[in-house]
Every structure is written in structure tokens, then in C-alpha cells.
């Protein structure tokens, strides 16, 4: 399918890794990639670490505009391709998986024949999943109740919450409350405007609610009291995945009253000044201050969130944005600090992909973007990120050259080993190893059944050290001699190679576009128009990243 990112399950076939470092760590399943107005395709993603092998509670939902209905649709398409599982325990014959494998009851089909091997999904986003039931809806409900444990909400707009809210009706059949993880302002809005016993019953565990949902308030920028090494500040939200978040701006309210966000002037005022492209982070007033202020003429900025999601096994990350507006026209420009956090991760080869909105094509004027991006703005934001990546790589190269000049003549450690050892973070977080090599893990012992003709993605295992190849994100080829200055000064050919290495700073980064608003008009879909514009801009500026549009019912492996 045109425009799909590498690794998408577009034709029903599972992803199969081909190498160790390039092996995927994440599966991101797109339930909804639109931004409306059709209610069946609004923002909803499922994220899991491939190391968890479909274990109980291992799926993280990011937003829930479209949710259970999309899961049902996936099963409707791919359940006919499911095959009986083969037992791997030859001593006991067809032995159903226990809680040690997928954390669920033995998946005996609901028909009741315990000697019949369970079905295993062989195609689609749930390929490799052992099915506990025979019907589409029963299996979809099992995913919702047993595998999805946490909902990461970017902001409280309905196109990011509606599916989740309605689906809470099935939460009463779960053993534990579902967690809703978000910034405090988002949780406050959900409490006040959704689970308030008016719009929807209070199903939370606060304010005398039923207790089917438990709130998890995230600290912006991470909690430094949690974790260690490169995992410091990240809080584990599901099995195998940890999160750090930053607030970003999602447009301003046009009413002349104070609300969440900036204390800058109302943009509709004739005295309002447009912020510079790289402003300092402005001061913010809390909700308490805003509600008790007599000054009601200031403009306000809606808060959304960008989430860095970290795989605990490998240290790799994926960055997922909620709705966001360009810093260049924002009253409260905050996206630049997300790029500052992302740049060293790209330099280290840890950040593998970005999911970001691009709601309109370039025909939409700035005045009516309503807190969203168009292709011209997205490419401008990525140019800011690219500049930060170039600076980060230049610092690494300069430090390496300086250490080479200071290194004792009898030093046995190579320049690459010493510079990388001192400067680079750990891949594996809490993992500790003296090895500098990456190797594939053995097959996960929890998988009791395997379907015919099905290849599971192997799980990469990373050491705690880096090598010099990681100055660029794999799989981009890098001539090691270009960075090896330990023996002779860099000649012209080596210098040319280094310059080529830095000419495309985002080489290997996958950018997946979501939240595209359907125009409901004749002609090509807006997704095609947006993708063509971004590819045209990329051909001009040569950042090195690849663009694709998210498609519901498919998965991206990163």
C-alpha cells in the first residue's frame, strides 16, 4: 500500500526481523489515524514491547478516540486466517498455555472441547496471539480486558477519549482497574467533564466512584526520583514500557477568559505580539491561579502532550505526539524542548520513530489551523530537530578528536572505545553487561503454541555500551574510517565521508503521520495530499527521514 512505513503489516503478513541491532523493539498498532469528522477513524493507538510476547497487561493504549470497534474490525478481517496451535510440550500433548505464558486462563475454545488445540492468529496486528475464544467479539473483548492495562491520554478532547469512555462499560469484567495515565490537567478535565455522573458515570476510584478506572498523574519532564541511568525519570506504565512526557501547545481559546496555559496576551487583541521562532519557555499559571484571577482578558493555550515511550529491554524509544500546533505561531511555544530531548536519542540511535499529527494540507491558512499542523509547519519543526541532531553529533565528534589529542601514546584503548564509553548512555537501562555486542535472544519461553507458517519477531537484547556505529541511527551505513582518527589525521576523503554522514541528520528516522482530517470532498484523500507535500519538502531539504501515513488496522514495527 502506497505511503505505508517500512514494517507495516499491510498485506496481513507478520514482520520478521533480519538482524540484531536493526531488530524491532516496538509494535505500534494504529486503530484510528484520522482527526474527524468521521467518528469511526479518530486517534487511537496500541503500543507493546515485543519482548513481552503478548503477556497479560502488556499493551499500552495511546488515546482512545477509536478503540474497541477497531479491534473488532481487525479480528473480523484476520480471524479466518487463524490456525490451530501446535503443542511444543511433547510430554503432555495439547497443553493449553497457563498464566505464565499470556497471563490468562487456558485458552480452551468456548465450545468446551479441552482436547482441541487453541487457535493462533497468523496474520494482522495480533499475529502470534493465542486465542481464548472462537468468536470475533469474544476475542476482541479478551484483548481489551486482559491485554490492554493502561490508557495514555494526550489531552481531553473527545476525538481522543470517546471510544475509551464508551468502552468502559466492559471494564467490570476485569480483575484490576484500568489505569488512565496523563498530565494532571488532563486528568482534572476527565474527572470534571467526563466521569462526573452527568456526562458519564463516575467509574473512577476517586470522588466516590465505582473504581473501574484508576488515575495515574504524570510529572512533566519525568520524575528523577524514579529509575536509573538512561531510564531515570521514566515511569513504567505497562509491562515492558516506561514513559516520560512533555506538555505541548494545541492552539488557543478564542473566548476572552483565562484558562489552562499561557499568560501571554490574547492573539485577537490588536496589541498582541507574535512570539519569536525560538522563544524562551514562558511562565505558566496554575489552574488554581487562573480560577482565582480577576484578569480575564489574557489568551489561553490548550495543553496537549508528547510522550517518549521507552522499551525497558533494549532502551529504544518511540515518540508519540497528541495534537500540536507549530511553535512559530503559538502563544506558548513548547515543542522545541521536545526536540531538545529527542536529539541525543536520535544521535545515539535509540529513537526509532515519531508519530505526529498533520491535520490539514497546505491550503489551510494559519489563522484557522485550530492548534494543528500543516505540511509546511511539520517540515519546519523537523528542521529544528535536525539542527539539534547536527549539533549533538558535532559535539561528539569534537570531543572524540580532543580526547585523541590528549590520549597517552601508550594507551591501549582505541579512540572510539574511550569516547563512546565516556559520552554515550546505556541502551539497556538497568541491564548491565561488559559486552559491546548485540545479540538476538532465545525464543520466549512463554509461547506455548506456535502456528504453522508463522514467524514471530525475535526480541533484540542490548548491552550497556555503545560502539561508534551509533553516531548515526541504524540502518544507515557508516564508514568507520571516517570517525577513526586514532592513527592518522583525517584526510580529505575521510572528511568528505564525515560531511556526507552529517548531511542527512534524520537518516533512518520514520515519521508516521496521524490525525489527518478528512475533507469529505471529491478528489484524492487528504492523506495523499499531505504525504505528497511532505515528500516534496523532504526532497528539497534532505533531512533523511521517511514519511508515511498511518492506516487503521495496520502495525508499525520499530
Amino acid at each position: 500500500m502506497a505511503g505505508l512505513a517500512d514494517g507495516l503489516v499491510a498485506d496481513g503478513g507478520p514482520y520478521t526481523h533480519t538482524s540484531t541491532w536493526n531488530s524491532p523493539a516496538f509494535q505500534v498498532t494504529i486503530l484510528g489515524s484520522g482527526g474527524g469528522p468521521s467518528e469511526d477513524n479518530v486517534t487511537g493507538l496500541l503500543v507493546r514491547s515485543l519482548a513481552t510476547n503478548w503477556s497479560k497487561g502488556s499493551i499500552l493504549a495511546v488515546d482512545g478516540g477509536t478503540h474497541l470497534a477497531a479491534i473488532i474490525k481487525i479480528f473480523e478481517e484476520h480471524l479466518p486466517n487463524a490456525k490451530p496451535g501446535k503443542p511444543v510440550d511433547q510430554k503432555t500433548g495439547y497443553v493449553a498455555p497457563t498464566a505464565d505464558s499470556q497471563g490468562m486462563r487456558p485458552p480452551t475454545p468456548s465450545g468446551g472441547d479441552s482436547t482441541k488445540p487453541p487457535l493462533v492468529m497468523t496474520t494482522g496486528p495480533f499475529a502470534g496471539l493465542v486465542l481464548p475464544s472462537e468468536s470475533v467479539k469474544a476475542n476482541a473483548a479478551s484483548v481489551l480486558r486482559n491485554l490492554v492495562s493502561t490508557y495514555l491520554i494526550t489531552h481531553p478532547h473527545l476525538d481522543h477519549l470517546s471510544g475509551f469512555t464508551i468502552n468502559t462499560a466492559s471494564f467490570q469484567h476485569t480483575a484490576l482497574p484500568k489505569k488512565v495515565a496523563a498530565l494532571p490537567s488532563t486528568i482534572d478535565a476527565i474527572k470534571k467533564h467526563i466521569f462526573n455522573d452527568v456526562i458519564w458515570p463516575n467509574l473512577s476510584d476517586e470522588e466516590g466512584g465505582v473504581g473501574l478506572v484508576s488515575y495515574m498523574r504524570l510529572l512533566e519532564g519525568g520524575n528523577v526520583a524514579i529509575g536509573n541511568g538512561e531510564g531515570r525519570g521514566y515511569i513504567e506504565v505497562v509491562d515492558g514500557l516506561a514513559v516520560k512526557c512533555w506538555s505541548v501547545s494545541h492552539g488557543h481559546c478564542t473566548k476572552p477568559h483565562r484558562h489552562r496555559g499561557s499568560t501571554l496576551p490574547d492573539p485577537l487583541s490588536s496589541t498582541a505580539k507574535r512570539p519569536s521562532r525560538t522563544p524562551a519557555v514562558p511562565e505558566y499559571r496554575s489552574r488554581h491561579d487562573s480560577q482565582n484571577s480577576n484578569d480575564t482578558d489574557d489568551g489561553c493555550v490548550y495543553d496537549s502532550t508528547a510522550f517518549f515511550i521507552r522499551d525497558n529491554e533494549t532502551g529504544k524509544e518511540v515518540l508519540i505526539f497528541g495534537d500540536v500546533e507549530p511553535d512559530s505561531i503559538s502563544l506558548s511555544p513548547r515543542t522545541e524542548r521536545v526536540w531538545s530531548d529527542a536529539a541525543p536519542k536520535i544521535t545515539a540511535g535509540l529513537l526509532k520513530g515519531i508519530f505526529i499529527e498533520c491535520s490539514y494540507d497546505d491550503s489551510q491558512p494559519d489563522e484557522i489551523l485550530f492548534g494543528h499542523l500543516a505540511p509546511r509547519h511539520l517540515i519546519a519543526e523537523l528542521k529544528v530537530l535536525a539542527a539539534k541532531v547536527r549539533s549533538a553529533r558535532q559535539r561528539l565528534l569534537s570531543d572524540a578528536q580532543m580526547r585523541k589529542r590528549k590520549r597517552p601514546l601508550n594507551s591501549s584503548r582505541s579512540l572510539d572505545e574511550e569516547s563512546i564509553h565516556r559520552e554515550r548512555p546505556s541502551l539497556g537501562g538497568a541491564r548491565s553487561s561488559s559486552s559491546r555486542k548485540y545479540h538476538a535472544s532465545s525464543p520466549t519461553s512463554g509461547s506455548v503454541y506456535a502456528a504453522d507458517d508463522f514467524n514471530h519477531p525475535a526480541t533484540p537484547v542490548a548491552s550497556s555500551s555503545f560502539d561508534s556505529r551509533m553516531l548515526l541511527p541504524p540502518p544507515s551505513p557508516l564508514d568507520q574510517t571516517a570517525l577513526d582518527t586514532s592513527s592518522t589525521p583525517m584526510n580529505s576523503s575521510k572528511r568528505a565521508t564525515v560531511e556526507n554522514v552529517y548531511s542527512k541528520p534524520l537518516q533512518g528516522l520514520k515519521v508516521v503521520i496521524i490525525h489527518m482530517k478528512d475533507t469529505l470532498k471529491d478528489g484524492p484523500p487528504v492523506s495523499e495530499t499531505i504525504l505528497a507535500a511532505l515528500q516534496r519538502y523532504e526532497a528539497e531539504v534532505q533531512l533523511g527521514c521517511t514519511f508515511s501515513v498511518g492506516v487503521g488496522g495496520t502495525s508499525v514495527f520499530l
Side-chain angles (χ1 to χ4, degrees), residues 277-359:
R277 288 186 174 273
T278 56
V281 177
E283 295 182 358
Y284 303 98
R285 293 182 182 176
S286 68
R287 286 178 55 83
H288 176 78
D289 292 338
S290 299
Q291 293 167 352
N292 290 279
S293 173
N294 293 322
D295 179 10
T296 60
D297 293 329
D298 285 354
C300 66
V301 174
Y302 294 114
D303 293 334
S304 183
T305 317
F307 291 109
F308 286 94
I309 302 175
R310 187 174 190 270
D311 175 51
N312 292 337
E313 182 75 11
T314 64
K316 293 180 181 180
E317 300 191 26
V318 61
L319 172 58
I320 300 179
F321 279 84
D323 295 355
V324 61
E325 67 180 348
D327 272 0
S328 59
I329 64 174
S330 176
L331 288 179
S332 174
R334 289 175 274 175
T335 305
E336 185 178 0
R337 59 184 179 177
V338 179
W339 300 141
S340 295
D341 200 353
K345 303 175 191 295
I346 294 174
T347 302
L350 296 178
L351 182 58
K352 312 306 294 181
I354 298 175
F355 288 73
I356 190 168
E357 71 127 281
C358 193
S359 296

Side-chain angles (χ1 to χ4, degrees), residues 149-330:
S149 61
T150 301
Y151 291 81
L152 201 59
I153 306 299
T154 61
H155 64 292
H157 284 174
L158 285 178
D159 58 330
H160 298 255
L161 273 177
S162 56
F164 156 75
T165 303
I166 295 172
N167 298 160
T168 55
S170 67
F171 288 0
Q172 58 184 309
H173 301 292
T174 59
L176 293 172
K178 300 294 186 184
K179 289 183 290 185
V180 173
L183 288 171
S185 61
T186 297
I187 289 178
D188 287 347
I190 293 172
K191 286 184 60 176
K192 181 177 181 180
H193 301 293
I194 303 294
F195 296 136
N196 59 2
D197 286 326
V198 178
I199 300 300
W200 202 253
N202 181 10
L203 302 182
S204 76
D205 57 359
E206 298 183 9
E207 308 293 338
V210 175
L212 299 183
V213 172
S214 180
Y215 296 124
M216 184 177 188
R217 293 167 176 82
L218 302 178
L219 184 64
E220 183 170 10
N223 187 342
V224 295
I226 295 176
N228 55 68
E230 284 304 299
R232 182 177 296 278
Y234 288 74
I235 184 168
E236 186 167 300
V237 288
V238 299
D239 183 24
L241 297 177
V243 166
K244 181 174 74 172
C245 66
W246 293 100
S247 66
V248 293
S249 298
H250 178 27
H252 60 268
C253 179
T254 58
K255 292 183 178 180
H257 73 104
R258 188 177 302 283
H259 193 56
R260 294 181 296 114
S262 173
T263 61
L264 294 176
D266 188 335
L268 302 181
S269 169
S270 60
T271 60
K273 294 182 179 180
R274 186 75 69 185
S276 63
R277 288 186 174 273
T278 56
V281 177
E283 295 182 358
Y284 303 98
R285 293 182 182 176
S286 68
R287 286 178 55 83
H288 176 78
D289 292 338
S290 299
Q291 293 167 352
N292 290 279
S293 173
N294 293 322
D295 179 10
T296 60
D297 293 329
D298 285 354
C300 66
V301 174
Y302 294 114
D303 293 334
S304 183
T305 317
F307 291 109
F308 286 94
I309 302 175
R310 187 174 190 270
D311 175 51
N312 292 337
E313 182 75 11
T314 64
K316 293 180 181 180
E317 300 191 26
V318 61
L319 172 58
I320 300 179
F321 279 84
D323 295 355
V324 61
E325 67 180 348
D327 272 0
S328 59
I329 64 174
S330 176

